[in-house]
Amino acid sequence: EELGISLPQKIEPSPIQSEDSFVSGDLIALADNFLGTRKIQRTELLREAITHPSSIHSDVPCYQRLEWIGDAVLCLAAREWVFKQYTLPVKDLVALETILVCNETLALLGCAAGIHKHIEHCDTSMPSRLENYEFQMKDMQQGLWGTDP
C-alpha cells in the first residue's frame, strides 16, 4: 500500500489450469519430495513451472513469471541462511549467496532430482542438451564443488 500497489490476496486458478489431469502423479510426487512438501496445492503452478518458453500454450504460461518471483524468494532465503551461518565480510556473504543461487547450482539440483525429465517444450535440441548435461554430471561423478551430486 505504501507504494500504491495492490495485489489480490487470493488468486483463483482458471478452470482450464485447475485440472490435475495435466500433471502426472509422478511429477507431483517428485516435486513434493524435492520441495519437502506433503501435497502441492496448486498443480496448475507446477505445470506452469515445467513449461518451457518454446511450449507456450494458450492455457499454460511458461515458467518465466514463476522464475522471476522464485529467484527473489530464493535469494532472500539464501541471504538469510548465509547471514545466520557465517560472520563474514559482506563481499564473502555475497560470494556465498551467488554460488547458492546460480543457474549452475540450480541445474545440478534439478537434474539430480530428475526434474529435467518433465519439462514441457517444443525445442527439438533440448532432449539432447539435457541428456548431454546429465551424462556430463554423471561422468564427472561430482557436483560443482567436487562433491557427490
Side-chain angles (χ1 to χ4, degrees):
E1 291 179 350
E2 278 184 42
L3 298 175
I5 299 172
S6 62
L7 298 173
Q9 296 298 313
K10 184 175 182 182
I11 300 172
E12 295 294 328
S14 72
I16 294 173
Q17 292 177 329
S18 65
E19 296 178 19
D20 285 358
S21 62
F22 291 110
V23 180
S24 75
D26 290 344
L27 177 58
I28 292 171
L30 177 69
D32 283 337
N33 185 51
F34 185 76
L35 298 170
T37 60
R38 287 190 202 161
K39 172 82 168 90
I40 291 183
Q41 299 297 313
R42 297 193 48 200
T43 57
E44 74 276 6
L45 291 178
L46 180 56
R47 184 170 182 217
E48 182 178 336
I50 62 161
T51 302
H52 187 266
S54 69
S55 183
I56 295 177
H57 304 292
S58 60
D59 64 332
V60 181
C62 74
Y63 59 70
Q64 291 172 325
R65 182 180 73 98
L66 295 176
E67 181 182 22
W68 175 75
I69 193 68
D71 285 349
V73 171
L74 189 56
C75 185
L76 182 60
R79 282 182 177 192
E80 180 182 17
W81 183 81
V82 168
F83 183 79
K84 288 180 177 180
Q85 293 293 316
Y86 303 100
T87 306
L88 297 169
V90 172
K91 67 179 181 73
D92 294 334
L93 295 173
V94 169
L96 282 171
E97 172 202 348
T98 302
I99 290 168
L100 292 172
V101 187
C102 70
N103 285 342
E104 291 81 8
T105 301
L106 301 175
L108 177 71
L109 294 172
C111 186
I115 293 172
H116 64 293
K117 296 174 183 174
H118 296 274
I119 296 174
E120 294 181 16
H121 63 88
C122 293
D123 181 343
T124 57
S125 70
M126 188 172 289
S128 63
R129 291 188 347 241
L130 290 171
E131 186 177 293
N132 186 41
Y133 177 80
E134 185 178 21
F135 178 75
Q136 288 177 347
M137 185 182 78
K138 286 181 180 176
D139 190 43
M140 289 187 308
Q141 293 295 310
Q142 59 187 16
L144 295 174
W145 304 285
T147 60
D148 185 11

